């Protein structure tokens, strides 16, 4: 286990023993002279079944607002069922959009990014490492891979995902109709036991990954606050590995960000805050306020976070307000 441990204003931690590569799943660098007070944004799922242009709108807004950096909770590409060249093409497009903002952008693996062996191979080719950590002043960030190992989907389910995604790309105005048809087909194919587990997440956190984060936490015991970014919400799973992670975090003040279910939910227990991100471009699976396209804005002030929800559909251009004529 190798950790880069100089104490600076910002630091990156990588499991160099497991990932012998210079590839990295983030864009840009953390500011070297960042202080105790800083801001960052958290973006939700772009996929599955992405609505064209929505994630890009979120990036454009953040480019104007200029947070110190951006966290993303996973599912940047549709992924499932593609061959290597298709996967590379999809990554080429979205990576270029992110790089063009000039913002430091820290990615978390989602099931759409890492859901088949082909996608795993392309990720490793382009991004290298699968989990990591960093520190900004007195604040520690853990970026997990909940697909360690990834969950195999049937060819039939992958075909349904691909069809729904293609329909939405072709006719985004009917997205809710295509999502409902997809959901109805999936539910109809499930057994009673499977239906009982619909709201649960299957979280995988391998032993090497947990050992890495145990080391990071021990080496940063003086951090005043800890953020965790994971794609699937571990608190909605029966995962013993997630339970072990929570034991490692212990009584540290912390917030866990997750995604996957495309709907914003917030809960708090003592010093622990859990936020399931809504979507930032992915298809909606509901009609409530938390199902809208959104992102989070986080302001850190002397080790204490203030979190605000920014609804993208409420942010418009001045040209949307033409003069009124009598």
């Amino acid at each position: 286990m190798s950790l880069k441990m100089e104490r600076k204003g910002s630091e990156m931690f990588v499991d160099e023993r497991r990932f012998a590569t210079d590839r990295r799943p983030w864009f840009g660098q953390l500011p070297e002279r960042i202080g105790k007070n800083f801001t960052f944004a958290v973006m939700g799922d772009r996929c599955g079944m992405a609505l064209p242009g929505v994630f890009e709108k979120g990036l454009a807004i953040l480019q104007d607002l200029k947070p110190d950096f951006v966290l993303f909770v996973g599912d940047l590409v549709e992924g499932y069922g593609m061959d290597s060249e298709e996967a590379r093409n999809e990554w080429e497009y979205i990576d270029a959009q992110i790089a063009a903002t000039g913002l430091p952008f820290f990615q978390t693996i989602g099931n759409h990014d890492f859901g088949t062996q082909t996608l795993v191979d392309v990720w490793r080719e382009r991004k290298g490492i699968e989990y990591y950590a960093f520190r900004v002043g007195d604040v520690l960030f853990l970026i997990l891979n909940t697909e360690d190992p990834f969950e195999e989907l049937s060819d039939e389910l992958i075909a349904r995902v691909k069809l729904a995604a293609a329909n939405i790309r072709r006719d985004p105005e009917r997205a809710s109709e295509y999502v409902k048809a997809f959901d109805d087909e999936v539910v109809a194919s499930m057994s009673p036991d499977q239906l009982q587990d619909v709201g649960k997440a299957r979280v995988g956190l391998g032993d090497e990954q947990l050992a890495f984060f145990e080391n990071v936490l021990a080496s940063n015991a003086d951090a005043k606050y800890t953020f965790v970014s994971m794609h699937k919400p571990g608190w909605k799973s029966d995962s013993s590995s997630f339970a072990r992670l929570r034991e490692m975090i212990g009584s540290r003040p912390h917030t866990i960000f997750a995604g996957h279910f495309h709907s914003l939910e917030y809960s708090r227990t003592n010093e622990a805050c859990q936020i399931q991100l809504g979507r930032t471009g992915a298809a909606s699976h509901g009609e409530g306020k938390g199902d809208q396209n959104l992102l989070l804005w986080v302001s850190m002030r002397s080790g204490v976070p203030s979190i605000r929800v920014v609804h993208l559909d409420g942010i418009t251009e001045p040209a949307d307000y033409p003069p009124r004529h009598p």
Side-chain angles (χ1 to χ4, degrees):
M1 191 75 58
S2 176
L3 296 176
K4 182 181 177 182
M5 290 305 299
E6 308 108 22
R7 277 287 176 260
K8 297 181 179 178
S10 58
E11 307 168 60
M12 299 299 304
F13 307 109
V14 174
D15 190 349
E16 294 175 347
R17 185 179 68 178
R18 182 174 181 187
F19 304 112
T21 175
D22 60 357
R23 302 287 184 177
R24 298 291 185 260
W26 59 80
F27 294 79
Q29 297 179 337
L30 290 166
E32 291 186 6
R33 297 187 177 276
I34 198 165
K36 291 183 178 180
N37 298 337
F38 59 90
T39 60
F40 66 95
V42 190
M43 302 183 78
D45 298 31
R46 174 180 177 257
C47 300
M49 307 176 196
L51 296 169
V54 176
F55 187 80
E56 293 85 340
K57 176 182 178 180
L59 289 177
I61 291 168
L62 291 179
Q63 191 172 17
D64 289 341
L65 295 178
K66 290 183 170 53
D68 289 297
F69 57 92
V70 180
L71 287 184
F72 178 70
V73 298
D75 281 359
L76 266 178
V77 297
E78 294 294 351
Y80 283 116
M82 297 187 301
D83 64 31
S84 298
E85 195 58 32
E86 289 175 318
R88 292 187 189 100
N89 289 340
E90 195 167 355
W91 279 116
E92 286 288 344
Y93 168 77
I94 197 59
D95 283 351
Q97 300 299 308
I98 294 166
T101 68
L103 297 170
F105 185 99
F106 295 92
Q107 184 177 343
T108 306
I109 286 176
N111 54 294
H112 281 262
D113 308 316
F114 211 74
T116 67
Q117 189 58 53
T118 295
L119 291 169
V120 170
D121 292 342
V122 172
W123 175 279
R124 290 172 177 168
E125 167 193 305
R126 296 180 62 88
K127 312 281 186 176
I129 61 177
E130 299 163 20
Y131 52 83
Y132 55 100
F134 60 91
R135 179 166 172 157
V136 179
D138 291 330
V139 184
L140 182 64
F141 293 79
L142 309 181
I143 314 299
L144 278 57
N145 175 14
T146 56
E147 311 305 308
D148 181 17
F150 68 86
E151 179 185 357
E152 295 272 8
L153 296 187
S154 68
D155 291 342
E156 181 182 8
L157 182 53
I158 288 174
R160 287 174 176 162
V161 171
K162 288 180 65 180
L163 177 61
N167 285 337
I168 290 172
R169 282 195 303 272
R170 186 186 69 252
D171 190 4
E173 295 298 321
R174 297 174 61 192
S176 59
E177 176 185 333
Y178 295 128
V179 171
K180 184 179 185 306
F182 170 79
D183 289 343
D184 289 346
E185 287 179 0
V186 172
V187 168
S189 69
M190 288 182 170
S191 68
D193 289 341
Q194 290 173 321
L195 286 171
Q196 289 182 345
D197 292 335
V198 164
K200 288 185 178 180
R202 295 187 181 181
V203 171
L205 299 170
D207 289 341
E208 288 180 284
Q209 182 176 175
L210 288 172
F212 169 78
F213 287 118
E214 185 173 31
N215 195 2
V216 170
L217 286 163
S219 301
N220 291 272
D222 62 323
K224 292 183 178 178
Y225 204 90
T226 300
F227 288 100
V228 179
S229 178
M230 62 192 307
H231 181 62
K232 292 177 179 174
W235 61 93
K236 291 188 172 182
S237 74
D238 298 323
S239 169
S240 60
S241 57
F242 178 72
R244 183 178 162 196
L245 178 74
R246 299 213 80 150
E247 289 177 3
M248 293 177 193
I249 296 172
S251 60
R252 296 168 183 248
H254 68 279
T255 293
I256 303 177
F257 299 117
H260 190 58
F261 287 116
H262 300 191
S263 185
L264 181 64
E265 294 180 1
Y266 172 92
S267 61
R268 185 177 184 89
T269 305
N270 298 323
E271 295 297 320
C273 177
Q274 299 169 156
I275 301 178
Q276 176 183 286
L277 263 288
R279 61 197 177 101
T280 313
S284 175
H285 293 269
E287 298 180 355
K289 189 174 182 180
D291 301 302
Q292 298 172 3
N293 287 298
L294 51 82
L295 54 83
L296 302 182
W297 185 270
V298 185
S299 299
M300 293 299 301
R301 298 291 178 262
S302 299
V304 178
S306 173
I307 303 176
R308 298 288 182 261
V309 182
V310 178
H311 285 262
L312 297 188
D313 297 334
I315 299 176
T316 60
E317 303 293 331
D320 294 336
Y321 301 85
R324 293 182 179 179
H325 299 288

PDB file of all heavy atoms in Angstrom, residues 43-59:
ATOM      1  N   MET A  43     -22.466  16.562  -8.662  1.00  0.00           N
ATOM      2  CA  MET A  43     -23.387  16.289  -9.754  1.00  0.00           C
ATOM      3  C   MET A  43     -23.894  14.858  -9.665  1.00  0.00           C
ATOM      4  O   MET A  43     -23.146  13.935  -9.306  1.00  0.00           O
ATOM      5  CB  MET A  43     -22.706  16.515 -11.101  1.00  0.00           C
ATOM      6  CG  MET A  43     -22.163  17.923 -11.282  1.00  0.00           C
ATOM      7  SD  MET A  43     -21.434  18.208 -12.924  1.00  0.00           S
ATOM      8  CE  MET A  43     -22.921  18.446 -13.921  1.00  0.00           C
ATOM      9  N   GLY A  44     -25.179  14.665 -10.014  1.00  0.00           N
ATOM     10  CA  GLY A  44     -25.800  13.351  -9.992  1.00  0.00           C
ATOM     11  C   GLY A  44     -25.651  12.626 -11.320  1.00  0.00           C
ATOM     12  O   GLY A  44     -24.982  13.094 -12.248  1.00  0.00           O
ATOM     13  N   ASP A  45     -26.293  11.483 -11.438  1.00  0.00           N
ATOM     14  CA  ASP A  45     -26.170  10.607 -12.601  1.00  0.00           C
ATOM     15  C   ASP A  45     -26.482  11.334 -13.912  1.00  0.00           C
ATOM     16  O   ASP A  45     -27.524  11.972 -14.045  1.00  0.00           O
ATOM     17  CB  ASP A  45     -27.142   9.426 -12.490  1.00  0.00           C
ATOM     18  CG  ASP A  45     -26.873   8.533 -11.297  1.00  0.00           C
ATOM     19  OD1 ASP A  45     -26.399   9.028 -10.257  1.00  0.00           O
ATOM     20  OD2 ASP A  45     -27.150   7.327 -11.394  1.00  0.00           O
ATOM     21  N   ARG A  46     -25.599  11.203 -14.884  1.00  0.00           N
ATOM     22  CA  ARG A  46     -25.890  11.632 -16.257  1.00  0.00           C
ATOM     23  C   ARG A  46     -26.652  10.535 -17.000  1.00  0.00           C
ATOM     24  O   ARG A  46     -27.493  10.810 -17.861  1.00  0.00           O
ATOM     25  CB  ARG A  46     -24.596  11.956 -17.002  1.00  0.00           C
ATOM     26  CG  ARG A  46     -24.814  12.267 -18.481  1.00  0.00           C
ATOM     27  CD  ARG A  46     -23.515  12.588 -19.200  1.00  0.00           C
ATOM     28  NE  ARG A  46     -23.753  12.817 -20.612  1.00  0.00           N
ATOM     29  CZ  ARG A  46     -23.485  11.934 -21.573  1.00  0.00           C
ATOM     30  NH1 ARG A  46     -22.925  10.764 -21.277  1.00  0.00           N
ATOM     31  NH2 ARG A  46     -23.745  12.219 -22.831  1.00  0.00           N
ATOM     32  N   CYS A  47     -26.353   9.283 -16.696  1.00  0.00           N
ATOM     33  CA  CYS A  47     -26.989   8.113 -17.284  1.00  0.00           C
ATOM     34  C   CYS A  47     -27.496   7.231 -16.149  1.00  0.00           C
ATOM     35  O   CYS A  47     -27.122   7.450 -14.984  1.00  0.00           O
ATOM     36  CB  CYS A  47     -25.983   7.328 -18.141  1.00  0.00           C
ATOM     37  SG  CYS A  47     -25.298   8.312 -19.521  1.00  0.00           S
ATOM     38  N   GLY A  48     -28.378   6.220 -16.331  1.00  0.00           N
ATOM     39  CA  GLY A  48     -28.772   5.737 -17.614  1.00  0.00           C
ATOM     40  C   GLY A  48     -29.938   6.496 -18.237  1.00  0.00           C
ATOM     41  O   GLY A  48     -30.698   7.186 -17.575  1.00  0.00           O
ATOM     42  N   MET A  49     -30.003   6.248 -19.538  1.00  0.00           N
ATOM     43  CA  MET A  49     -31.038   6.831 -20.363  1.00  0.00           C
ATOM     44  C   MET A  49     -30.963   8.355 -20.325  1.00  0.00           C
ATOM     45  O   MET A  49     -31.881   9.059 -19.933  1.00  0.00           O
ATOM     46  CB  MET A  49     -32.416   6.338 -19.937  1.00  0.00           C
ATOM     47  CG  MET A  49     -32.518   4.827 -19.878  1.00  0.00           C
ATOM     48  SD  MET A  49     -34.116   4.268 -19.255  1.00  0.00           S
ATOM     49  CE  MET A  49     -33.731   2.546 -18.859  1.00  0.00           C
ATOM     50  N   ALA A  50     -29.795   8.867 -20.713  1.00  0.00           N
ATOM     51  CA  ALA A  50     -29.515  10.293 -20.611  1.00  0.00           C
ATOM     52  C   ALA A  50     -30.427  11.124 -21.490  1.00  0.00           C
ATOM     53  O   ALA A  50     -30.726  10.767 -22.629  1.00  0.00           O
ATOM     54  CB  ALA A  50     -28.062  10.556 -20.992  1.00  0.00           C
ATOM     55  N   LEU A  51     -30.847  12.268 -20.951  1.00  0.00           N
ATOM     56  CA  LEU A  51     -31.587  13.265 -21.716  1.00  0.00           C
ATOM     57  C   LEU A  51     -30.572  14.201 -22.356  1.00  0.00           C
ATOM     58  O   LEU A  51     -29.744  14.802 -21.659  1.00  0.00           O
ATOM     59  CB  LEU A  51     -32.527  14.046 -20.799  1.00  0.00           C
ATOM     60  CG  LEU A  51     -33.646  13.215 -20.156  1.00  0.00           C
ATOM     61  CD1 LEU A  51     -34.341  14.021 -19.079  1.00  0.00           C
ATOM     62  CD2 LEU A  51     -34.629  12.752 -21.205  1.00  0.00           C
ATOM     63  N   PRO A  52     -30.598  14.359 -23.669  1.00  0.00           N
ATOM     64  CA  PRO A  52     -29.573  15.142 -24.365  1.00  0.00           C
ATOM     65  C   PRO A  52     -29.457  16.563 -23.834  1.00  0.00           C
ATOM     66  O   PRO A  52     -30.453  17.263 -23.654  1.00  0.00           O
ATOM     67  CB  PRO A  52     -30.045  15.130 -25.824  1.00  0.00           C
ATOM     68  CG  PRO A  52     -30.888  13.893 -25.944  1.00  0.00           C
ATOM     69  CD  PRO A  52     -31.560  13.750 -24.606  1.00  0.00           C
ATOM     70  N   GLY A  53     -28.213  16.997 -23.570  1.00  0.00           N
ATOM     71  CA  GLY A  53     -27.925  18.382 -23.239  1.00  0.00           C
ATOM     72  C   GLY A  53     -28.071  18.779 -21.787  1.00  0.00           C
ATOM     73  O   GLY A  53     -27.617  19.862 -21.401  1.00  0.00           O
ATOM     74  N   VAL A  54     -28.672  17.949 -20.934  1.00  0.00           N
ATOM     75  CA  VAL A  54     -28.934  18.358 -19.552  1.00  0.00           C
ATOM     76  C   VAL A  54     -27.652  18.399 -18.725  1.00  0.00           C
ATOM     77  O   VAL A  54     -27.373  19.379 -18.025  1.00  0.00           O
ATOM     78  CB  VAL A  54     -29.964  17.422 -18.893  1.00  0.00           C
ATOM     79  CG1 VAL A  54     -30.152  17.807 -17.424  1.00  0.00           C
ATOM     80  CG2 VAL A  54     -31.291  17.487 -19.629  1.00  0.00           C
ATOM     81  N   PHE A  55     -26.850  17.343 -18.788  1.00  0.00           N
ATOM     82  CA  PHE A  55     -25.592  17.328 -18.051  1.00  0.00           C
ATOM     83  C   PHE A  55     -24.685  18.452 -18.554  1.00  0.00           C
ATOM     84  O   PHE A  55     -24.011  19.128 -17.765  1.00  0.00           O
ATOM     85  CB  PHE A  55     -24.910  15.974 -18.215  1.00  0.00           C
ATOM     86  CG  PHE A  55     -23.686  15.798 -17.363  1.00  0.00           C
ATOM     87  CD1 PHE A  55     -23.791  15.465 -16.025  1.00  0.00           C
ATOM     88  CD2 PHE A  55     -22.415  15.964 -17.903  1.00  0.00           C
ATOM     89  CE1 PHE A  55     -22.656  15.309 -15.235  1.00  0.00           C
ATOM     90  CE2 PHE A  55     -21.280  15.806 -17.128  1.00  0.00           C
ATOM     91  CZ  PHE A  55     -21.399  15.470 -15.785  1.00  0.00           C
ATOM     92  N   GLU A  56     -24.693  18.659 -19.862  1.00  0.00           N
ATOM     93  CA  GLU A  56     -23.891  19.723 -20.446  1.00  0.00           C
ATOM     94  C   GLU A  56     -24.338  21.095 -19.908  1.00  0.00           C
ATOM     95  O   GLU A  56     -23.501  21.978 -19.674  1.00  0.00           O
ATOM     96  CB  GLU A  56     -24.003  19.687 -21.968  1.00  0.00           C
ATOM     97  CG  GLU A  56     -23.363  18.456 -22.608  1.00  0.00           C
ATOM     98  CD  GLU A  56     -24.274  17.234 -22.665  1.00  0.00           C
ATOM     99  OE1 GLU A  56     -25.267  17.183 -21.896  1.00  0.00           O
ATOM    100  OE2 GLU A  56     -24.002  16.339 -23.480  1.00  0.00           O
ATOM    101  N   LYS A  57     -25.647  21.285 -19.715  1.00  0.00           N
ATOM    102  CA  LYS A  57     -26.145  22.528 -19.114  1.00  0.00           C
ATOM    103  C   LYS A  57     -25.596  22.686 -17.702  1.00  0.00           C
ATOM    104  O   LYS A  57     -25.181  23.784 -17.304  1.00  0.00           O
ATOM    105  CB  LYS A  57     -27.668  22.523 -19.092  1.00  0.00           C
ATOM    106  CG  LYS A  57     -28.289  23.732 -18.402  1.00  0.00           C
ATOM    107  CD  LYS A  57     -29.809  23.641 -18.361  1.00  0.00           C
ATOM    108  CE  LYS A  57     -30.417  24.821 -17.624  1.00  0.00           C
ATOM    109  NZ  LYS A  57     -31.910  24.748 -17.575  1.00  0.00           N
ATOM    110  N   GLY A  58     -25.573  21.596 -16.944  1.00  0.00           N
ATOM    111  CA  GLY A  58     -25.012  21.645 -15.596  1.00  0.00           C
ATOM    112  C   GLY A  58     -23.550  22.052 -15.603  1.00  0.00           C
ATOM    113  O   GLY A  58     -23.103  22.863 -14.784  1.00  0.00           O
ATOM    114  N   LEU A  59     -22.793  21.504 -16.545  1.00  0.00           N
ATOM    115  CA  LEU A  59     -21.376  21.873 -16.656  1.00  0.00           C
ATOM    116  C   LEU A  59     -21.225  23.358 -16.990  1.00  0.00           C
ATOM    117  O   LEU A  59     -20.356  24.051 -16.435  1.00  0.00           O
ATOM    118  CB  LEU A  59     -20.698  21.037 -17.735  1.00  0.00           C
ATOM    119  CG  LEU A  59     -20.464  19.556 -17.438  1.00  0.00           C
ATOM    120  CD1 LEU A  59     -19.848  18.877 -18.664  1.00  0.00           C
ATOM    121  CD2 LEU A  59     -19.572  19.353 -16.215  1.00  0.00           C
TER     122      LEU A  59
END
